[in-house]
Amino acid sequence: MFITNMTTTYHISTDELNEDFLQKLKHAFGKKQLLITVEEDDDDTFFLLSTKDNRDKFKQSLSELKGGDLVSITPDELRK
């Protein structure tokens, strides 16, 4: 007999915790016992993409990075 345990991680906002989400969980796991652990997600991407202004600045920074448009400073220069 071959038994496997399925682990799935969801990164969602509290606004997405609704009946539709619960139905998707039920569909994904069927009639099984689940262990649900909730913790805050420290991923800064949510903040970076949370508003249009933040998204625009983030996209601009990525473009600058890809284009090699960088400014390098030493830790001593940063302290000045």
Side-chain angles (χ1 to χ4, degrees), residues 12-75:
I12 62 173
S13 72
T14 54
D15 294 337
E16 296 172 286
L17 295 174
N18 55 33
E19 185 64 29
D20 185 51
F21 176 74
L22 291 176
Q23 291 303 320
K24 289 176 182 176
L25 275 179
K26 288 180 180 182
H27 179 74
F29 288 93
K31 293 185 179 266
K32 296 181 181 175
Q33 287 290 116
L34 300 179
L35 170 65
I36 297 176
T37 303
V38 178
E39 65 182 80
E40 286 186 60
D41 191 350
D42 292 335
D43 184 1
D44 292 332
T45 306
F46 179 76
F47 170 76
L48 292 172
L49 302 176
S50 64
T51 66
K52 183 181 181 330
D53 189 45
N54 283 359
R55 283 189 299 275
D56 291 345
K57 288 178 182 176
F58 182 62
K59 288 177 185 177
Q60 179 183 354
S61 294
L62 286 177
S63 294
E64 291 171 357
L65 177 65
K66 289 177 183 176
D69 186 13
L70 305 173
V71 175
S72 297
I73 61 172
T74 66

